[in-house]
Amino acid sequence: MAFNPLKTPLSKIIFDHTFDGIFHEDQFDTFEVSQAEIDDAIKDIKGRLGVKLQSGKVSNVLLLQLARHKLNHYEKFGNQIHCYHFQTILDIIESVEKGWQANIRPFNGNLLGGLKHVHHNSSTFISQNLGNHWRSKVAGRDEIKYQNELLEQIFNKISDELSQEIANKRALTILLTQLLTESKFRKQKKQTGEWIVFAEKDGINYYLCLATHHEAIDFTDRVIYDRLISCVNEFPELNDVISKVP
């Protein structure tokens, strides 16, 4: 049973066929979700957080954001519209609660000084992270020759159970799945710029909102500050952490 070599570079397949998660205004089709749907989503998220949180607290602002993403109700940050995998964000919160310090950075400046942000990985950067990982594996080799060596190894393992046509297609799926899994555990030298903004007070983390680096560049930190300032009313103990700026 012969292996059918792939003539297209894998890098092109990755970038041509992997959804990048970013939408622009002219592509964005708004739709409404009912209050009942939002309430149900918030209830579900609170239940999940009950398992993931230790002493931490989550603001109503963040709960609403997470509920909308759970319902695939995309959110605009600056000039971009994003759709996040809410469960990934909950997993990051759980990691921070357990003492994980990677990718946590403090804010500077009058508006957000005293707060911190932790990066989270969303579908927005699947292509970028997977592509970067693949390039690191190719590392100067002939790309098509190398990718076909990997595909043929997989093909030979499954060809006894599958037809040649299906085995060829399945080999590519298996390879891409392996690469995607590997890329998730690869050290990230460049962060995505997608943040969970939080405050720490007396050993307790207060998770306040989602934000992005790009919106802060486009509209200054004020756009993030305006999103989270209502959290002071919800958590008055943060009065001396979150600046009161007119």
Side-chain angles (χ1 to χ4, degrees):
M1 189 174 290
F3 169 68
N4 184 22
L6 186 66
K7 297 179 180 179
T8 305
L10 200 55
S11 57
K12 178 173 174 55
I13 293 175
I14 291 171
F15 287 107
D16 283 356
H17 296 281
T18 305
F19 171 62
D20 68 4
I22 296 179
F23 299 85
H24 302 280
E25 281 297 332
D26 57 351
Q27 301 172 312
F28 186 53
D29 218 359
T30 59
F31 65 93
E32 294 298 324
V33 293
S34 69
Q35 188 61 49
E37 289 175 303
I38 292 175
D39 290 344
D40 286 344
I42 288 176
K43 181 179 179 181
D44 176 72
I45 290 168
K46 283 182 175 180
R48 296 170 189 260
L49 285 169
V51 178
K52 296 179 178 296
L53 291 174
Q54 296 185 4
S55 61
K57 301 180 181 181
V58 174
S59 75
N60 289 327
V61 174
L62 180 53
L63 283 173
L64 179 58
Q65 286 182 296
L66 291 172
R68 288 186 174 277
H69 286 287
K70 183 179 187 296
L71 295 168
N72 294 319
H73 194 278
Y74 307 140
E75 184 171 8
K76 186 175 181 181
F77 295 93
N79 291 318
Q80 296 179 335
I81 296 169
H82 293 252
C83 181
Y84 296 150
H85 183 223
F86 79 100
Q87 185 61 59
T88 298
I89 296 172
L90 298 184
D91 290 343
I92 294 293
I93 290 174
E94 180 180 28
S95 296
V96 175
E97 286 291 286
K98 292 180 178 179
W100 186 63
Q101 292 295 315
N103 299 335
I104 294 178
R105 300 289 185 273
F107 282 104
N108 297 312
N110 294 330
L111 287 173
L112 302 178
L115 301 178
K116 299 179 181 180
H117 59 79
V118 59
H119 292 274
H120 68 85
N121 294 319
S122 79
S123 59
T124 306
F125 289 85
I126 288 177
S127 292
Q128 177 181 315
N129 291 332
L130 180 56
N132 289 341
H133 177 60
W134 170 242
R135 282 194 291 268
S136 72
K137 287 183 73 71
V138 173
R141 299 181 179 93
D142 180 294
E143 181 179 6
I144 291 181
K145 180 181 178 181
Y146 177 60
Q147 73 188 21
N148 284 327
E149 289 174 354
L150 297 178
L151 287 168
E152 188 168 14
Q153 291 173 16
I154 298 170
F155 174 85
N156 290 335
K157 291 179 180 178
I158 64 177
S159 59
D160 289 341
E161 301 178 11
L162 302 170
S163 68
Q164 180 177 340
E165 181 180 2
I166 294 176
N168 271 298
K169 292 180 179 179
R170 188 70 56 82
L172 178 58
T173 302
I174 292 173
L175 178 58
L176 286 171
T177 301
Q178 289 176 348
L179 292 172
L180 180 58
T181 300
E182 291 171 5
S183 73
K184 291 179 180 178
F185 293 96
R186 181 171 176 259
K187 286 187 176 180
Q188 295 180 357
K189 296 180 179 179
K190 293 184 178 180
Q191 301 305 326
T192 65
E194 296 178 306
W195 300 331
I196 306 168
V197 181
F198 70 102
E200 184 180 1
K201 177 71 180 294
D202 297 330
I204 298 174
N205 293 321
Y206 296 80
Y207 303 94
L208 305 177
C209 72
L210 303 177
T212 74
H213 178 66
H214 294 295
E215 67 172 334
I217 291 177
D218 293 341
F219 296 96
T220 78
D221 288 347
R222 185 81 201 201
V223 67
I224 301 174
Y225 176 86
D226 289 343
R227 185 177 302 137
L228 62 77
I229 188 59
S230 65
C231 297
V232 175
N233 295 327
E234 187 178 353
F235 305 122
E237 59 268 37
L238 297 181
N239 266 308
D240 58 345
V241 179
I242 299 177
S243 304
K244 294 292 186 62
V245 179

